[in-house]
Structure formats: C-alpha cells, structure tokens
Amino acid sequence: MRDIAQGIAAWRAAGTRFAVATVVRTWSSAPRQPGASMAVAENGEVVGSVSGGCVEGAVYELASEVLRSGRPALVTYGVSQDDAFEVGLTCGGVVEILVQPGDDAHYPELSDILSGITGGAPIAVAQVIAGRDTMSDRLVVTPHDAAGSLGDARLDKSVTDQVRGMLGSGTTGVIHVGEHGEQLHDELTVFVESFAPPPRMIVFGAIDFASAVARIGKFLGYHVTVCDARPTFATAKRFPNIDELVVMWPHKYLDQTTVDERTVICVLTHDPKFDVPILERALYLPARYIGAMGSRRTHQDRLERLRAAGVTESAIARLSSPIGLDLGARTPEETAVAIAAEIISLTWGGSGQRLTDGELAIHH
C-alpha cells in the first residue's frame, strides 16, 4: 500500500469512496509480492497494481462490487487456460488477493496507517482472513504500541509479538495461529502487512558514479544518503534529489549512523584513505550489501590493506568487489544499473545470468 498511499490519501481528503485490493499470498511464479496493492475509486480511477496486468481487469470489477456491497472479498487467481480472454496468470503462478472498502465505516484504522506510512514511522496491520466468518477485525501494531483487536486478548498478544518481529524486518505475509493465539495451531490465518520505513542506501564518495547510483537508489525506493569529506564535491547542486547529504569523513559518519539488515552500502570513494577505514567498520555491521568500486588491481590492493588492518577473512567474504554485475557498463548510468542489478540479485536470490540462458523460475 505504500506505493498508493498518496493517491488514496487524496481520495479520502476529497471524500471519494474506494476499495483496496492487496496481494496476500503467492505461489510459484507470481508477478507481484505480498503487499502489492491496487485501489479503485468510485469514479473509476485506479492507482497501483496487483499483478502487472494479468488480472487487473478482474480485480477492478471485484473492487467495484466490493464498493457496492461494502463486504470484503478474498479471491484466488491461478493459471489461465488456452482461452486468451480467461482471467488468470499467464506466468503460471497463483495469487490470493484481499479486496476491502477503504472508507472509515469499514476500515477506520486506515487513517492511522496512512499517517504512519507518510510520516515514515514503522507500522503494521494484522487481519484475520480465514477461519472466521468476518474479516473486519484488525490489530494495528507499532514497535511500542498496539491498537484495535482481533476479538480475543490472548490472540492479540500472540499476534502482536509475531507482528513486531515481521515489522522489524519489513516482512509482509500470513501467519497461522489458534483461535486464542496458540502457536502450534492453525485454525486462523492472519494477514500481516508491514510498513517499515524505506531501507537505506548509503553512498560514500561524491563522484559522478555516485550521482547515478543515488538516482537509481531513489528509483528503487531507498532512503539515499551520500557522504563525502570534500565539500567541493558533496554539494546539493550535484545531488539534488537525495534524502541526505553529509559532509564528513566517511568512517566517522559510519560510526554514528544506524545500519540495519536492510541497509546497502556502496563505497565509491576509490581512494584507500577513505575506503579502507569505511570497510574496516562496514564489514562488521549487519548491512544487507556492501560493495566497493575499483579495478581488480585496486581490489587486490584493498584486500591486502584490509588484512593488514586485521579484518577477518569471514568479514572480507561479505564484500562485493569489484562492485556490480558484469554488464559491460561504461558510463556512470550504466554502472549504476550494474550495481543495482547486483543488489537486487542478492536481495531476492537471483543468479544474475540471462533468463534466456537458464531454466530457473523467474520469480523466486
């Protein structure tokens, strides 16, 4: 829902009724992940996507029906048959979609959820979607509080504990519990939609390549920080659209900023006096990805310097250097694509090879 938050907030402000369709579960090669959302307004306007086009028409019709009836619906779309006009996923996957009205009467928690999303605060909503006759009960969870109820105090406590774990990692999906929150039971299926703040991309080195990497990082949804000790290069004019520009020795900034399991770090300084002190610290942080730019000769020199500084082999093994996939990139923009491709591949378990040359599933 994060991608459509601005659109549906505008509808709410204008008093426009709408329904929200959200991917709850997927199987096999489904085109969108759980949490992908699409909203349909009473005037026919649409924002977002749940399948990249495969079943959007059917979901549009269902959302229109949900708007008329006021009753939420949970539907599953599978593989389409030979008839090209039959609703289904041509990719061979299966997707389960929850469609529900977005007005205050049916979804009163939506206002707080949208406020959390737009304010960058971590927030999640849990909703029973199977095992009961109703899907109207919701539990809104933040790291330090919970509001609403799923109808049972013990169930609320059990689900809250699990939701906080999912919120910490930014995970959206379903959990199975007993009617009173029993962990070894599965009478209830609870859909948990997490809205964690965007993951961070920290780019060290205010060079032309950094400008391209920062732009593609923003495009991919990262909160982008560029850091360089040289004020001549680290200017707002050169980096106009990033979230944070820091003029400081990079390793000192790394000592005082927050790095978690979703953070990606791109070291583009290309200078041992900068990149070695950065990597001495970064390789022991829980970052998802740590890459460093340079030729293979630069890479070997960097490894020697890191070992001389006492960095362990297990820590060095986390380093992606030379940074990026082999795309034959030449320009800063092409190099940024190669770096982004490696980050995406490592995030989702892709092989990095051409799809035409392999037989693995497209969507892992």
Side-chain angles (χ1 to χ4, degrees), residues 203-224:
V203 181
F204 291 110
I207 61 176
D208 289 345
F209 288 92
S211 178
V213 170
R215 290 199 302 274
I216 204 167
K218 286 297 295 179
F219 176 74
L220 293 175
Y222 285 93
H223 180 284
V224 178

Side-chain angles (χ1 to χ4, degrees), residues 6-16 18 114:
Q6 185 174 358
I8 62 178
W11 288 344
R12 286 175 62 87
T16 302
F18 60 91
L114 290 175

Side-chain angles (χ1 to χ4, degrees), residues 5-350:
Q6 185 174 358
I8 62 178
W11 288 344
R12 286 175 62 87
T16 302
R17 295 171 59 248
F18 60 91
V20 179
T22 305
V23 176
V24 172
R25 285 186 285 190
T26 65
W27 295 266
S28 189
S29 187
R32 297 298 303 274
Q33 294 298 306
S37 295
M38 165 181 157
V40 178
E42 59 184 339
N43 60 10
E45 187 178 354
V46 177
V47 293
S49 170
V50 290
S51 73
C54 301
V55 299
E56 254 70 4
V59 174
Y60 176 91
E61 295 298 331
L62 179 60
S64 300
E65 174 57 32
V66 166
L67 268 177
R68 287 190 292 269
S69 69
R71 294 190 299 271
L74 185 68
V75 295
T76 301
Y77 297 100
V79 182
S80 62
Q81 303 301 319
D82 294 335
D83 183 352
F85 294 99
E86 184 174 347
V87 175
L89 300 177
T90 56
C91 59
V94 179
V95 60
E96 188 174 43
I97 296 175
L98 172 65
V99 186
Q100 51 192 331
D103 58 275
D104 285 337
H106 296 92
Y107 202 157
E109 300 87 358
L110 186 56
S111 179
D112 290 337
I113 294 168
L114 290 175
S115 296
I117 293 173
T118 56
I123 191 169
V125 57
Q127 183 173 359
V128 176
I129 60 171
R132 283 184 180 168
D133 294 333
T134 178
M135 293 186 284
S136 61
D137 294 333
R138 299 180 188 88
L139 185 65
V140 178
V141 179
T142 69
H144 308 293
D145 196 11
S149 175
L150 298 179
D152 180 89
R154 287 181 293 170
L155 175 62
D156 290 343
K157 184 180 186 307
S158 174
V159 170
T160 296
D161 291 342
Q162 294 188 64
V163 169
R164 286 204 172 114
M166 296 176 70
L167 184 57
S169 61
T171 302
T172 288
V174 299
I175 57 176
H176 301 280
V177 293
E179 294 181 0
H180 303 292
E182 299 90 340
Q183 296 297 309
L184 299 181
H185 293 233
D186 61 358
E187 290 87 353
L188 301 180
T189 300
V190 181
F191 174 52
V192 179
E193 192 170 8
S194 295
F195 304 104
R200 296 191 68 193
M201 171 183 281
I202 306 176
V203 181
F204 291 110
I207 61 176
D208 289 345
F209 288 92
S211 178
V213 170
R215 290 199 302 274
I216 204 167
K218 286 297 295 179
F219 176 74
L220 293 175
Y222 285 93
H223 180 284
V224 178
T225 298
V226 174
C227 176
D228 197 302
R230 301 164 296 181
T232 302
F233 296 100
T235 66
K237 184 176 181 179
R238 299 186 70 210
F239 299 91
N241 298 315
I242 64 172
D243 299 288
E244 184 181 26
L245 182 64
V246 178
V247 181
M248 182 186 295
W249 276 86
H251 68 279
K252 292 184 178 179
Y253 174 71
L254 200 55
D255 284 340
Q256 68 179 45
T257 195
T258 300
V259 172
D260 62 21
E261 293 82 358
R262 301 163 67 219
T263 303
V264 302
I265 297 174
C266 300
V267 181
L268 312 182
T269 47
H270 211 264
D271 186 332
K273 71 175 178 289
F274 288 117
D275 57 18
V276 171
I278 296 170
L279 293 172
E280 283 184 65
R281 292 158 172 79
L283 291 172
Y284 291 102
L285 296 174
R288 174 194 297 166
Y289 171 88
I290 304 166
M293 177 176 281
S295 66
R296 296 198 182 279
R297 180 175 179 178
T298 299
H299 170 64
Q300 291 302 322
D301 176 71
R302 181 185 293 130
L303 292 183
E304 292 176 8
R305 292 173 183 268
L306 289 173
R307 291 184 177 112
V311 179
T312 65
E313 292 300 322
S314 61
I316 288 174
R318 300 183 60 214
L319 177 62
S320 294
S321 174
I323 196 170
L325 297 186
D326 179 15
L327 303 184
R330 293 292 185 271
T331 67
E333 289 74 20
E334 290 173 345
T335 302
V337 171
I339 294 170
E342 182 177 37
I343 293 171
I344 294 169
S345 176
L346 291 178
T347 298
W348 296 108

